[in-house]
Amino acid sequence: MTFNQETEAELQEYRDSLGLKPEDVANIEERVLAQRQVEYERQPKKPNPPPPQPERFLGIPVTTLEFETAKLIQKPGFLGLGKSWEIQRSRKKARLFIQDLGNGVSLEMVAIPGGTFIMGSPENEEGRRNDESLQHQVNVPPFFMGRYPITQKQWQVVAALPKVKIDLESDPSYFKGDNLPVERVSWDSVQEFCARLSQKAQKTYRLPSEAEWEYACRGVTTIAFYFGETVSTDLANYDGNYTYGNGVKGEYREKTTEVGIFPANPFGLYDMCGNVWEWCKDEWHENYIDAPIDGSAWISPSSSSRKRMLRGGSWFDNPESSRSACRNSYVAGFGNDDLGFRVVCGAARTL
């Protein structure tokens, strides 16, 4: 221990008054330190605290990730003349796990908390179609959903895995790019993709039910778009020659865009609005009469229909097709350059 000069002088004076030599002081210090060591070793040892356990969702360890979301806010125009739209950005957090696909490629799966929502659109929503009625309450259990639509690189890696039932084309897309969404994939080929991925990962990967898709897309919002009352081509990829509500015209890119370049929705999911239509598990039904209310896929065992549900709009369509409630369908055995998909993870549930 080091003392200041004044304290050191006082100690030296005290040692001199006692007639202590330096070796005497050293002996005393040694005995004191030895005694303190004995007392320390006699003290009960506190166990080391256990290492912190990772947070889990549906039994799977998850990590927390920050993301950017956005809203369209209408502002009065200059000197009160007219109105304009302003993008208001904010930061949020999502929980996810990362599935290794091999070859340095991974799949990010976002935790979607369970909840209850109103599925379908109200009668006064612009662009509303009859197949979006009747509005009904649905209780959706928790699940994981792909942070992005499946990309061409992800498709290629999974298409190289062992065959389960049918062959897969390794590079089916019209627009080429590793981080572009895969398109021109049929519903049937997507079933094979999910089967191969499930076999590799030892988890159940599948298409979302239509209810799961709309619930995840809305992200607790209740209006036409998760961005607000309208949408902008600064926030999504659709045909910007057309407008929705009081929105303004924008860019028509005439092709798909890389996943994740626009802000996410409130759950941390990207490209739920525009870019490519996304396959769902359900068969096509012309309205919601007798639709399930537990979040499960609506499939009738006796049905001979080959039409399957699509959601989300695309680069080719006008903005009203990108509404959270908008529905579309296509024959299961065919694909197109505006048809893609994303996967969910969880126990398969079918009504």
Side-chain angles (χ1 to χ4, degrees):
M1 181 178 295
T2 303
F3 300 102
N4 59 37
Q5 291 182 350
E6 184 179 351
T7 303
E8 188 64 44
E10 290 178 356
L11 288 172
Q12 185 60 49
E13 183 179 349
Y14 185 65
R15 288 194 291 266
D16 292 344
S17 68
L18 294 175
L20 295 174
K21 298 177 181 179
E23 57 268 25
D24 297 327
V25 175
N27 290 333
I28 294 171
E29 289 179 346
E30 184 178 349
R31 290 199 299 272
V32 171
L33 291 173
Q35 181 61 34
R36 287 185 177 179
Q37 180 66 27
V38 170
E39 292 174 356
Y40 172 77
E41 293 176 353
R42 287 176 178 173
Q43 292 178 356
K45 299 296 187 295
K46 294 182 180 179
N48 293 326
Q53 296 298 310
E55 184 183 0
R56 289 178 173 269
F57 184 86
L58 298 180
I60 298 175
V62 292
T63 58
T64 300
L65 183 73
E66 196 173 76
F67 64 92
E68 182 183 79
T69 188
K71 289 183 179 180
L72 273 175
I73 307 297
Q74 198 167 33
K75 297 284 187 178
F78 181 67
L79 297 179
L81 301 175
K83 293 183 178 180
S84 61
W85 292 97
E86 178 181 289
I87 298 175
Q88 186 180 83
R89 300 175 187 270
S90 60
R91 306 294 295 180
K92 291 190 175 185
K93 293 181 178 180
R95 295 174 295 169
L96 55 79
F97 79 88
I98 299 176
Q99 177 68 61
D100 178 28
L101 302 181
N103 295 333
V105 180
S106 60
L107 172 64
E108 297 178 55
M109 300 296 294
V110 176
I112 307 298
T116 300
F117 82 111
I118 301 299
M119 187 173 183
S121 60
E123 293 183 1
N124 63 349
E125 183 169 297
E126 182 177 336
R128 179 183 190 268
R129 304 169 185 176
N130 290 335
D131 59 23
E132 298 166 21
S133 64
L134 299 169
Q135 279 191 296
H136 57 291
Q137 182 172 290
V138 181
N139 183 45
V140 181
F143 60 99
F144 286 96
M145 185 175 232
R147 191 180 182 197
Y148 311 106
I150 293 296
T151 66
Q152 293 177 33
K153 189 64 175 178
Q154 290 168 333
W155 175 274
Q156 290 162 11
V157 171
V158 173
L161 295 174
K163 174 180 173 180
V164 176
K165 288 185 178 180
I166 64 174
D167 294 327
L168 289 179
E169 186 178 348
S170 64
D171 188 18
S173 301
Y174 177 76
F175 303 105
K176 303 298 184 183
D178 285 351
N179 290 322
L180 293 176
V182 69
E183 19 87 5
R184 294 181 68 184
V185 288
S186 69
W187 188 91
D188 291 338
S189 66
V190 169
Q191 301 310 299
E192 175 70 16
F193 177 97
C194 292
R196 295 189 191 189
L197 175 57
S198 299
Q199 184 171 269
K200 173 182 174 56
Q202 295 300 295
K203 296 184 184 76
T204 301
Y205 282 95
R206 57 181 174 83
L207 284 175
S209 70
E210 190 183 5
E212 288 172 328
W213 194 98
E214 184 173 328
Y215 172 74
C217 177
R218 289 185 177 279
V220 309
T221 64
T222 58
I223 49 183
F225 303 91
Y226 53 80
F227 295 119
E229 296 175 356
T230 188
V231 67
S232 160
T233 57
D234 291 327
L235 300 176
N237 182 20
Y238 60 90
D239 186 347
N241 291 315
Y242 298 89
T243 63
Y244 182 88
N246 294 323
V248 297
K249 289 185 177 182
E251 183 179 2
Y252 179 33
R253 298 175 176 90
E254 302 185 66
K255 60 181 180 180
T256 58
T257 49
E258 289 195 359
V259 301
I261 66 172
F262 300 109
N265 82 342
F267 278 154
L269 302 170
Y270 291 79
D271 296 292
M272 296 292 283
C273 177
N275 216 4
V276 289
W277 288 99
E278 298 182 9
W279 287 111
C280 292
K281 188 170 184 177
D282 309 53
E283 293 174 346
W284 161 253
H285 293 84
E286 62 184 15
N287 54 50
Y288 287 132
I289 295 175
D290 297 326
I293 58 173
D294 63 353
S296 60
W298 194 3
I299 299 174
S300 304
S302 60
S303 173
S304 60
S305 173
R306 288 286 290 157
K307 294 181 73 175
R308 299 288 173 162
M309 294 306 307
L310 293 163
R311 287 302 201 107
S314 79
W315 62 270
F316 179 77
D317 294 276
N318 60 31
E320 73 177 40
S321 297
S322 298
R323 292 175 299 113
S324 298
C326 186
R327 309 172 75 216
N328 197 0
S329 65
Y330 207 67
V331 180
F334 295 90
N336 209 335
D337 59 11
D338 60 351
L339 306 186
F341 72 106
R342 75 180 71 211
V343 294
V344 301
C345 181
R349 294 172 297 112
T350 300
L351 183 71

